[in-house]
């Protein structure tokens, strides 16, 4: 499903070059539930940006479903990202002025789908995440766990084959974090969605089928 070959990422900060990813090769099969762990600053979020087509590697090749990614067409990249990948972040990143329902529908708005269909699909996702009673609420009227459920619904609304989650339980208490992890496990088990979870929490990582550790820009075993 995913194949990264010798991915490097170097940032230029003024005259200084910072090598953040130093040759990452990683294959992820369809249906995997993978935890990426590693110390702060080891490059986990940077790797997620590469896997999610949010940034271009400095060198190396990346394939999604056998298709080699070419980075020269922004529109194609956005479209691929929109169709195949759902993102979940520690800070939810919901739009503050929109209701839960409208936040869920955002990826479909970018696809140019009809409003009635967007509402219908978004409602179905809120139902799946047991959030129908909060459909009309704005983010600041919901708890962290509820906001993260809305963010997961938004990640799922476009039927992605891959979910990338960067510290999805990082801002939540243990119990709520476990509930969010249970949602990911169910999605993986029952719908076969490939999920990559970046986490600091060994208890969360232990619930994934596979773990990879990043250290100073490299995968270590
Ligand atoms: N846009 C950028 N420009 C320059 N340096 C960057 C940039 N993004 C990340 N870095 C550097 O890359 C290194 C890895 O950052 P990254 O955010 O990937 O770490 P992380 O493993 O996700 O850490 P954390 O667990 O704290 O989230 C850090 O030293 C960071 O300062
Ligand atoms: Mg990070």
């Amino acid at each position: 499903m995913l194949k990264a070959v010798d991915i490097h990422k170097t940032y230029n900060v003024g005259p200084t070059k910072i090598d953040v990813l130093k040759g990452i090769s990683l294959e992820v099969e369809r249906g995997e539930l993978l935890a990426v762990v590693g110390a702060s600053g080891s490059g986990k979020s940077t790797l997620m940006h590469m896997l999610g087509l949010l940034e271009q590697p400095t060198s190396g090749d990346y394939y999604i479903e056998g298709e080699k990614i070419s980075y020269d067409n922004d529109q194609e990249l956005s479209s691929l990202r929109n169709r195949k990948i759902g993102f979940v972040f520690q800070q939810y990143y919901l739009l503050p002025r929109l209701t839960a329902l409208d936040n869920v529908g955002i990826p479909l708005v970018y696809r140019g789908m009809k409003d009635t269909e967007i509402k219908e699909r978004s409602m179905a996702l809120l139902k799946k995440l047991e959030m129908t009673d909060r459909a009309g609420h704005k983010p600041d009227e919901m708890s962290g766990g509820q906001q993260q459920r809305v963010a997961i619904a938004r990640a799922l609304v476009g039927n992605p084959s891959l979910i990338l989650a960067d510290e999805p339980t990082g801002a939540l208490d243990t119990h709520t974090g476990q509930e969010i992890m249970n949602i990911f496990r169910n999605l993986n088990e029952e719908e076969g969605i490939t999920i990559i979870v970046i986490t600091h929490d060994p208890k969360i990582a232990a619930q994934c089928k596979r773990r990879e550790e990043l250290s100073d820009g490299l995968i270590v075993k």
Side-chain angles (χ1 to χ4, degrees):
M1 141 125 247
L2 300 183
K3 186 175 170 192
V5 184
D6 201 22
I7 297 274
H8 288 252
K9 183 68 183 178
T10 304
Y11 292 107
N12 296 307
V13 181
T16 321
K17 281 190 191 309
I18 305 180
D19 292 325
V20 177
L21 302 180
K22 299 176 178 172
I24 302 262
S25 293
L26 177 69
E27 274 193 67
V28 180
E29 303 291 336
R30 182 171 290 284
E32 282 204 72
L33 175 56
L34 168 67
V36 174
V37 300
S40 181
S42 58
K44 304 182 298 296
S45 295
T46 306
L47 176 62
M48 176 185 165
H49 288 173
M50 303 301 141
L51 298 179
L53 305 175
L54 296 168
E55 282 185 87
Q56 176 174 3
T58 308
S59 66
D61 292 327
Y62 183 37
Y63 303 79
I64 297 182
E65 292 173 340
E67 197 184 326
K68 185 169 168 181
I69 305 302
S70 100
Y71 290 90
D72 44 24
N73 187 331
D74 275 350
Q75 235 169 328
E76 251 173 54
L77 270 184
S78 310
S79 158
L80 194 61
R81 197 189 308 123
N82 181 281
R83 282 181 287 117
K84 301 226 186 260
I85 308 172
F87 295 92
V88 178
F89 299 94
Q90 176 172 351
Q91 298 302 339
Y92 329 125
Y93 293 125
L94 300 177
L95 295 181
R97 290 168 182 277
L98 298 188
T99 62
L101 186 71
D102 289 338
N103 265 290
V104 173
I106 290 169
L108 302 180
V109 173
Y110 287 119
R111 283 189 201 181
M113 197 177 273
K114 272 205 333 223
D115 197 47
T116 47
E117 198 182 343
I118 293 176
K119 288 234 155 39
E120 219 168 89
R121 284 227 217 167
S122 304
M123 207 51 176
L125 262 306
L126 283 179
K127 183 163 181 223
K128 181 182 197 144
L129 289 154
E130 298 172 10
M131 284 291 295
T132 18
D133 56 338
R134 293 290 183 277
H137 286 231
K138 304 249 174 78
D140 67 0
E141 299 160 352
M142 291 184 282
S143 71
Q146 289 168 343
Q147 290 184 66
Q148 196 59 301
R149 281 170 190 265
V150 172
I152 294 172
R154 178 183 58 190
L156 289 170
V157 77
N159 281 324
S161 40
L162 171 68
I163 298 275
L164 295 175
D166 193 349
E167 297 281 358
T169 65
L172 303 172
D173 63 67
T174 309
H175 175 77
T176 311
Q178 185 57 51
E179 283 177 356
I180 295 299
M181 192 57 204
N182 292 344
I183 292 170
F184 284 131
R185 287 169 67 182
N186 280 336
L187 288 168
N188 175 256
E189 285 288 322
E190 281 159 29
E191 300 182 33
I193 300 178
T194 310
I195 303 179
I196 302 179
V197 179
I198 293 173
T199 183
H200 272 108
D201 183 343
K203 287 208 185 88
I204 297 289
Q207 296 174 46
C208 294
K209 296 174 185 163
R210 173 181 165 199
R211 276 166 298 283
E212 295 290 348
E213 184 178 345
L214 229 60
S215 172
D216 196 20
L218 285 168
I219 289 183
V220 291
K221 272 286 166 189

